[in-house]
Amino acid sequence: QVQLVESGGGLVQAGGSLRLSCAASGRTFSNYAMGWFRQAPGKEREFVGTISGGGGYTLYADSMKGRFTISRDNAKNTVWLQMSSLNREDTAVYTCAARTTPYSSADKDAYAYWGQGTQVTVSS
């Protein structure tokens, strides 16, 4: 069982930056690929990006490439989502998720554990 707790959300102006954190419980964090997803009001959950268990592989949704960066520290059981050049379309609840394998996936159904999410609101 893995418990995930996100933090770092809030209100930011368009063009600004924000860093989200996801702290995980449990052992051997490197066994779990991690993903970030987001859901805006009235929309389906959307893939943001993922990082492999060892941290050597990342994959991002096209609209996030060059603006978002995922990193992790397995010694701290933490994964981060650094977001920059934010715009109003980035407003959503951001949630981290863990797979029970170190191999990344963009498919939300491939993730077994989910956090509660943190709200990010971008104002113009």
Side-chain angles (χ1 to χ4, degrees), residues 104-118:
S104 292
S105 174
D107 182 359
K108 61 182 183 296
D109 293 331
Y111 290 81
Y113 303 104
W114 293 82
Q116 293 298 310
T118 185

Side-chain angles (χ1 to χ4, degrees), residues 4-82:
L4 304 173
V5 179
E6 302 95 339
S7 61
L11 177 65
V12 61
Q13 286 191 330
S17 299
L18 206 60
R19 188 176 81 156
L20 306 182
S21 299
C22 174
S25 66
R27 308 176 187 177
T28 322
F29 185 53
S30 60
N31 285 348
Y32 301 92
M34 299 297 294
W36 284 95
F37 294 81
R38 70 184 187 183
Q39 188 166 21
K43 294 187 177 181
E44 292 189 357
R45 181 170 283 173
E46 175 185 25
F47 170 72
V48 173
T50 180
I51 186 167
S52 61
Y57 174 80
T58 54
L59 175 69
Y60 301 94
D62 287 344
S63 62
M64 287 71 163
K65 285 180 183 177
R67 299 192 302 125
F68 291 9
T69 302
I70 298 175
S71 59
R72 67 189 294 162
D73 185 335
N74 287 337
K76 296 181 179 179
N77 281 19
T78 302
V79 62
W80 294 276
L81 175 65
Q82 176 70 48

